[in-house]
């Protein structure tokens, strides 16, 4: 059996028994997470919140880092075994402080779910000059994973689950101009590039970490209704795209195609907990299954080969260390 998913060598469905309509409650059935520690970024809204609810229901202690603690406290009310901590993914110092506080606790980390993300934003840059979607969707999670590495190793059986998107199809990673210094900014190109980076990172991290019994997975949750991902989108954007009428109402046929939040979070939960994945890693999943490799860029769905390229995965790792100033030695 092949051991690496470079070039998509392991991108084949494994008959999970689930599908696009499967929910988190169906996926978690029979899974016991008592004694397990999880961290879920973006865990106080949308599919992140549903992920937290599901992991807690199975017995896990779930740490939810949030920028707005009052909002997070309201949204997470009533969910057992949840710990709230402050974290601003746009601030590298905040990422370090959050990770250090967890490490000081001495606890192992069994599940790191890098779920938080932004989309549809205008050109913004962080204090380092990095484009915001690349900075938050990818670089902050690269940094967080690196800082928590010793706790992941301590678990002696950990998983890192990275939430990507079918939007990786919008763009390969531009190594010559990742921060749109010279090329014209287009928000979906920025989003696509950030999600291709997430795919490449998950691939390379799994290859490096599996000898320490740490595996990595990356997934597309699908088109999910009622999340906050489009909060920064221009008011007329969805009308221009043909998704809504002139008054901003989502068209019925579009609404009918959207997943519910429990359906959207199901693949995250499956990647985090399924015993079917015990001996697999570095794979891209969707609809609660390992996705097919799809080389046709005109067809939506599956995973594009350029986001599983070995050379680019290693090149991105080196660039990420350079951009963040972190030497991420997986040893």
């Amino acid at each position: 059996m092949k051991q690496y998913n470079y070039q998509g060598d392991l991108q084949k469905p494994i008959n999970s028994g689930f599908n696009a309509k499967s929910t988190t409650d169906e996926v978690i059935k029979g899974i016991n997470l008592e004694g397990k520690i999880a961290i879920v970024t973006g865990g106080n809204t949308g599919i992140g919140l549903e992920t937290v609810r599901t992991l807690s229901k199975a017995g896990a202690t779930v740490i939810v880092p949030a920028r707005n603690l009052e909002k997070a406290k309201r949204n997470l009310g009533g969910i057992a075994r949840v710990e709230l901590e402050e974290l601003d993914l746009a601030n590298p110092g905040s990422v370090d402080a959050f990770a250090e506080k967890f490490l000081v606790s001495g606890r192992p980390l069994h599940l790191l779910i890098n779920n938080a993300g932004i989309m549809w934003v205008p050109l913004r840059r962080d204090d380092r000059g990095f484009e915001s979607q690349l900075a938050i969707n990818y670089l902050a999670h690269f940094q967080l994973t690196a800082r928590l590495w010793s706790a992941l190793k301590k678990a002696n059986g950990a998983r890192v689950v990275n939430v990507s998107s079918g939007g990786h199809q919008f763009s390969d990673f531009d190594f010559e101009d990742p921060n749109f210094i010279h090329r014209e900014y287009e928000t979906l190109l920025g989003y696509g590039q950030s999600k291709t980076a997430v795919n490449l990172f998950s691939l390379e991290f799994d290859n490096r970490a599996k000898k320490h019994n740490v595996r990595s997975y990356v997934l597309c949750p699908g088109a999910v209704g009622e999340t906050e991902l489009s909060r920064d989108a221009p008011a007329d954007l969805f009308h221009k795209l043909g998704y809504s009428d002139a008054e901003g109402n989502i068209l019925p046929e579009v609404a009918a195609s959207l997943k519910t939040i429990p359906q959207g979070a199901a693949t995250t939960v499956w990647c985090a907990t399924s015993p079917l994945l015990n001996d697999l890693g570095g794979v891209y999943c969707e609809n609660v299954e390992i996705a097919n490799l799809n080389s046709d860029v005109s067809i939506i769905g599956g995973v594009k080969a350029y986001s599983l390229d070995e050379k680019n995965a290693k090149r991105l790792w080196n660039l990420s260390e350079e951009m963040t100033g972190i030497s991420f030695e997986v040893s």
Side-chain angles (χ1 to χ4, degrees), residues 64-246:
V64 181
R67 185 175 54 180
N68 186 331
L69 292 178
E70 285 303 313
K71 175 184 175 182
K73 186 176 181 179
R74 290 194 303 270
N75 290 352
L76 292 159
I79 302 177
R81 292 176 296 278
V82 168
E83 300 176 15
L84 276 177
E85 296 290 349
E86 187 171 2
L87 172 63
D88 181 357
L89 288 170
N91 181 340
S94 178
V95 176
D96 284 348
F98 166 79
E100 182 59 27
K101 185 174 182 180
F102 181 83
L103 294 179
V104 167
S105 76
R107 293 182 290 181
L109 178 59
H110 301 90
L111 296 173
L112 173 58
I113 300 180
N114 293 320
N115 166 83
I118 58 174
M119 186 183 186
W120 305 109
V121 298
L123 179 59
R124 297 171 182 159
R125 302 190 186 280
D126 67 7
D127 292 342
R128 301 166 295 184
F130 301 156
E131 188 272 321
S132 64
Q133 293 182 98
L134 181 61
I136 292 174
N137 295 349
Y138 170 59
L139 288 171
H141 286 120
F142 175 89
Q143 177 181 352
L144 182 63
T145 307
R147 296 308 194 203
L148 292 171
W149 171 238
S150 61
L152 289 164
K153 279 199 300 183
K154 187 181 292 186
N156 191 29
R159 293 187 183 186
V160 175
V161 179
N162 299 300
V163 178
S164 183
S165 167
H168 76 272
Q169 178 174 320
F170 297 146
S171 177
D172 197 347
F173 192 87
D174 190 328
F175 285 95
E176 303 308 316
D177 191 17
N179 291 300
F180 293 87
I181 302 299
H182 306 292
R183 56 183 170 140
E184 184 178 356
Y185 178 75
E186 207 289 312
T187 186
L188 288 182
L189 287 181
Y191 180 74
Q193 173 182 248
S194 73
K195 293 303 185 179
T196 289
V198 170
N199 294 1
L200 291 168
F201 166 62
S202 191
L203 175 73
E204 183 63 20
F205 178 67
D206 184 78
N207 180 38
R208 298 181 184 217
K210 63 184 180 181
K211 64 185 176 184
H212 299 286
N213 204 14
V214 179
R215 303 308 300 257
S216 179
Y217 308 88
V218 63
L219 68 106
C220 169
V224 184
E226 300 180 355
T227 74
E228 295 185 4
L229 190 58
S230 61
R231 61 184 176 269
D232 290 308
D236 62 345
L237 176 65
F238 295 111
H239 179 55
K240 290 179 179 178
L241 292 172
Y243 297 160
S244 68
D245 61 25

Side-chain angles (χ1 to χ4, degrees), residues 14-92:
I14 56 172
N15 299 317
S16 70
F18 300 108
N19 56 53
K21 295 187 179 299
S22 297
T23 66
T24 47
D25 285 343
E26 293 168 338
V27 169
I28 203 66
K29 188 175 181 180
I31 302 290
N32 184 352
L33 298 178
E34 290 183 13
K36 304 297 185 183
I37 309 294
I39 293 175
V40 182
T41 69
N44 69 97
T45 62
I47 64 172
L49 176 58
E50 177 65 15
T51 300
V52 171
R53 183 194 70 80
T54 306
L55 297 179
S56 170
K57 182 180 178 180
T61 295
V62 189
I63 298 156
V64 181
R67 185 175 54 180
N68 186 331
L69 292 178
E70 285 303 313
K71 175 184 175 182
K73 186 176 181 179
R74 290 194 303 270
N75 290 352
L76 292 159
I79 302 177
R81 292 176 296 278
V82 168
E83 300 176 15
L84 276 177
E85 296 290 349
E86 187 171 2
L87 172 63
D88 181 357
L89 288 170
N91 181 340

Side-chain angles (χ1 to χ4, degrees), residues 142 146-147 149 317-318 320-322 324-330:
F142 175 89
R147 296 308 194 203
W149 171 238
W317 189 282
N318 293 334
S320 303
E321 289 186 322
E322 179 183 324
T324 61
I326 295 171
S327 178
F328 189 176
E329 295 293 335
V330 182

Side-chain angles (χ1 to χ4, degrees), residues 238-239 242-245 247-258:
F238 295 111
H239 179 55
Y243 297 160
S244 68
D245 61 25
E247 285 72 46
N249 302 304
I250 298 295
L251 299 176
E253 61 270 26
V254 174
S257 71
L258 298 177

